[in-house]
Amino acid sequence: MSTVPGRTSPTSASQRRDGRHAELRGTARERLLNAALAELRERGYEGSSLEAIARRAGLTRGAVYWNFHSKLELFVALLEQRVDGPARELMRLTETAPPETLTAGAVSHGLGRLVREQRDLIMLLFEYWALAVRDPNLRPSFNERQKLLRNALARALESRHAHTGVPLVYPAERLATAILALANGLAMTALAEPEAVSEQLLGEVLDLLYDGLAARASGAGSGRSRSTSSRAGRPSNSGRASDR
C-alpha cells in the first residue's frame, strides 16, 4: 500500500493508537496506568470505566484489552506497581538486613513516604476494601492480594528471626496479619488526621511488639533483665527483635 509523503498510513496510525506498535508496546501500559489513576481519582472505582480510561490515555478500547482484561485487572496492576511493590521492598529490608541493623524505623518511614506519595491510590485502596466487603465478585481478588502480602511478610519475619537468633514464638502468619492491619489503620488515620500519625509511630509500636516477643522467647526473668538494661542505656543479651 502506497502512502503520501509526510502522511502516516491508516494502518500505522491504528497501530500507534491501540498501543500494539512495536515502539509503543511498553508505553501503552504505562499510559493506561497513569490514565487509570487520574480517572479513578475523579470518579472512584465504581464510577470509572475502561472506555473512559482509554480515552484519557489517548488509546483505543482495544489497547486496553491488549494489556488488561478488565477494570479490576487494571486496578490491581496499578496497586501492584505503586503500592504493593514498594511495600514488599520494605518487607525485603526486614528479611535481608544484617542482624545488627535496625529496621523498624526504616520501615516506618517507608510507610509514611508511601502514604504521602500515593495518597490518592491509598484512598482508592480503602474504597476497594469497602466494595469487596459488600461485593462477593470483588472479594476473591481482594483476599488474594491480602494473602500474597501476608505470606510475604510472614516469610520476612521468619527469616529475620532466624538471622538474629531470637525465636519467633508466635505464628508468623498471624503476626503478619496483625502488622498489616496496624499499617493499614495508621495509613487510614494519616489520610484524615496527618498530625496524629508521625512517621515514627509504626516503628515505635513495632518496637513494643517485638520487645514483647523477645521477652516471651527469653522468659520472664530475661525480659525483666532486658528492661533494666534498656533503661540503663545498654543493650540486653537477648536483643530487641524489632532491631533485628
Side-chain angles (χ1 to χ4, degrees):
M1 176 179 177
S2 62
T3 59
V4 177
R7 293 186 181 178
T8 304
S9 69
T11 300
S12 61
S14 174
Q15 286 174 327
R16 281 198 299 272
R17 185 166 172 76
D18 71 12
R20 285 177 283 179
H21 190 281
E23 296 176 356
L24 291 179
R25 283 190 189 121
T27 62
R29 180 182 176 88
E30 194 64 26
R31 287 164 64 185
L32 286 168
L33 290 172
N34 290 335
L37 178 57
E39 187 71 16
L40 290 162
R41 181 194 299 125
E42 288 185 11
R43 302 181 184 278
Y45 182 85
E46 285 193 305
S48 301
S49 68
L50 288 177
E51 291 80 2
I53 292 170
R55 286 195 301 271
R56 190 181 286 266
L59 299 168
T60 65
R61 183 175 178 178
V64 179
Y65 287 107
W66 180 264
N67 289 277
F68 305 101
H69 293 114
S70 66
K71 180 175 69 172
L72 178 59
E73 184 179 329
L74 173 54
F75 179 55
V76 170
L78 186 61
L79 286 176
E80 168 60 31
Q81 183 192 75
R82 305 188 185 187
V83 175
D84 296 352
R88 275 194 290 272
E89 286 299 318
L90 295 176
M91 296 176 195
R92 276 191 283 272
L93 171 64
T94 299
E95 183 175 4
T96 62
E100 67 277 6
T101 300
L102 307 180
T103 60
V107 169
S108 189
H109 283 288
L111 176 66
R113 183 172 61 252
L114 184 60
V115 172
R116 286 197 313 274
E117 294 177 354
Q118 301 296 340
R119 177 182 175 85
D120 292 330
L121 197 48
I122 298 295
M123 287 192 290
L124 287 165
L125 176 57
F126 291 129
E127 180 189 353
Y128 180 32
W129 168 82
L131 291 171
V133 170
R134 299 193 302 268
D135 187 346
N137 294 319
L138 285 177
R139 200 173 304 146
S141 65
F142 180 87
N143 289 342
E144 179 63 21
R145 173 184 174 272
Q146 290 296 106
K147 180 180 178 180
L148 291 173
L149 290 173
R150 182 167 57 247
N151 289 345
L153 181 54
R155 288 193 300 270
L157 293 170
E158 289 173 336
S159 178
R160 188 64 174 165
H161 281 261
H163 289 163
T164 62
V166 177
L168 184 56
V169 293
Y170 193 80
E173 185 174 343
R174 295 181 67 181
L175 186 59
T177 299
I179 292 173
L180 288 175
L182 171 63
N184 284 331
L186 289 175
M188 180 181 288
T189 302
L191 290 173
E193 193 180 2
E195 64 277 6
V197 183
S198 70
E199 284 198 356
Q200 295 80 29
L201 183 55
L202 176 62
E204 291 167 356
V205 176
L206 290 178
D207 277 342
L208 293 171
L209 175 63
Y210 287 123
D211 277 352
L213 288 171
R216 177 180 289 188
S218 301
S222 176
R224 287 194 298 270
S225 174
R226 186 172 54 79
S227 177
T228 301
S229 64
S230 295
R231 286 195 296 270
R234 298 188 304 273
S236 69
N237 291 333
S238 62
R240 292 172 61 186
S242 61
D243 290 348
R244 301 299 192 262

